[in-house]
Amino acid sequence: MPPSDLLRVRDLVPDFLACAEGRRSASPEPWSAHYLAAHPDVVRVLRRDGDWSDAAGVASVLDGLRGRAADLAARAERVRALLPDGVTAVAGALGWSGDGGPVECVVLVGLNQANGWAGELNGRYALFLAVEQLGPPEDLDLLVRHEAAHVVHDRGAAIRDWPECGVANALFTEGLATQVTAELDAGRPDEEYLWFGRPGHRRWLDECRRRWPEILRRVRADLDATDAEHHAPYFLMRDSPLAGGLPKRCGYLVGLTAVRHLRRHHSLRDLAGWPLPRVRAEIAAALPDLPPPTGPPPL
């Protein structure tokens, strides 16, 4: 299918810029309500975790972005230009022909929190990209492809129905998305795939390798957990009482290494179609003898 049939882009940045330009004096309505008023389905998603529910806090963050109109508009234009080829490449890698309709991508101004994520929107996964947090153009493809891989993965395996904080399934989904980016943009060091090109993470990778036995022991002990506190040490940047000093986001490296192990015998397309019981079983079987990561294997 042509790229236009695989992708639908909703660009909310013009709405943000219009509100920013028009807000010359105090308004009785929170600015954020005006910005997102035409997109109630997106509002419901953004407010699910409470981050967009504090009107005063949201308005304060958005106020801090005033004066960046030209920059934000240029970022939105850049990501819109990258999306068709990025989604098409991921669809090809995972063997998705467009069944179920196009991938929906919401380009927006966020709250200086995440640069991109995949989340449920109107009953299936969509791709969200927050332009104020996007990295340099040469690395943006990594983020687009990683998050698009989650959305396409959902089309084949309905991963939106898997436990949101399941350690086993998060190892697999994040590992698969990272491996897709590595195969589509070969030749980079692993830390770039794992941190979307942002510099300064070689020491993090070296620490994960040095502490590999400890990390694997902890992951194996928590493999069946589906609660937020056990999930956080492996996949989030926030501190967790259960982290015990583990390198933050080390689960991404474990997941990538496990998927590369599985990739020796299975295609990306096959992996993307596995149901949750098989994912849990395959990850559990791969972890005990999983060697320390040494870089991508030859394909």
Side-chain angles (χ1 to χ4, degrees):
M1 298 177 71
S4 59
D5 293 331
L6 294 173
L7 175 68
R8 177 191 175 206
V9 179
R10 296 171 62 182
D11 187 355
L12 279 56
V13 176
D15 291 346
F16 171 86
L17 296 179
C19 287
E21 178 64 25
R23 192 171 186 263
R24 301 300 187 187
S25 59
S27 169
E29 298 274 348
W31 186 18
S32 57
H34 291 289
Y35 161 36
L36 298 171
H39 313 280
D41 55 341
V42 175
V43 173
R44 286 192 294 272
V45 172
L46 296 176
R47 287 181 171 171
R48 189 190 64 172
D49 295 326
D51 295 336
W52 285 73
S53 298
D54 176 7
V58 171
S60 175
V61 172
L62 298 181
D63 266 341
L65 293 170
R66 293 188 68 183
R68 290 185 57 187
D71 172 52
L72 295 174
R75 287 166 177 254
E77 182 178 2
R78 187 160 59 238
V79 76
R80 289 198 313 269
L82 285 173
L83 277 164
D85 286 347
V87 171
T88 300
V90 169
L94 293 179
W96 178 62
S97 62
D99 294 345
V103 163
E104 185 156 26
C105 178
V106 180
V107 180
L108 74 161
V109 177
L111 294 181
N112 287 330
Q113 294 172 336
N115 51 7
W117 65 96
E120 188 171 350
L121 179 67
N122 298 323
R124 59 185 180 187
Y125 260 18
L127 169 61
F128 295 82
L129 295 167
V131 296
E132 84 285 357
Q133 287 285 85
L134 296 180
E138 62 269 21
D139 297 325
L140 185 52
D141 258 338
L142 294 178
L143 176 66
V144 168
R145 290 170 177 174
H146 181 103
E147 302 303 342
H150 287 313
V151 178
V152 174
H153 189 185
D154 180 67
R155 296 302 178 89
I159 65 173
R160 63 189 178 279
D161 296 329
W162 296 2
E164 182 177 1
C165 295
V167 172
N169 54 273
L171 291 170
F172 184 76
T173 56
E174 296 300 347
L176 180 61
T178 307
Q179 181 63 14
V180 168
T181 65
E183 294 193 26
L184 292 175
D185 187 1
R188 294 178 181 243
D190 277 349
E191 63 268 24
E192 293 195 17
Y193 301 122
L194 292 158
W195 291 90
F196 309 118
R198 294 189 174 184
H201 291 98
R202 182 53 190 261
R203 292 178 63 182
W204 169 88
L205 183 61
D206 290 341
E207 181 183 4
C208 289
R209 286 170 172 161
R210 178 176 58 82
R211 299 176 63 182
W212 192 246
E214 174 192 1
I215 291 171
L216 275 191
R217 177 180 57 80
R218 291 282 303 277
V219 168
R220 291 179 64 194
D222 292 337
L223 192 61
D224 294 330
T226 57
D227 61 284
E229 289 306 311
H230 283 88
H231 174 272
Y234 307 115
F235 300 103
L236 301 182
M237 284 298 295
R238 69 174 175 84
D239 291 327
S240 167
L242 300 180
L246 289 177
K248 290 181 173 63
R249 296 179 81 253
C250 60
Y252 281 79
L253 181 60
V254 176
L256 175 60
T257 308
V259 167
R260 282 180 174 163
H261 173 80
L262 298 170
R263 181 72 175 88
R264 295 182 302 174
H265 304 290
H266 304 280
S267 69
L268 291 175
R269 181 174 186 171
D270 289 341
L271 295 173
W274 284 359
L276 181 57
R278 182 166 184 183
V279 164
R280 287 172 170 160
E282 295 278 1
I283 290 291
L287 289 180
D289 299 316
L290 197 64
T294 57
L299 297 176

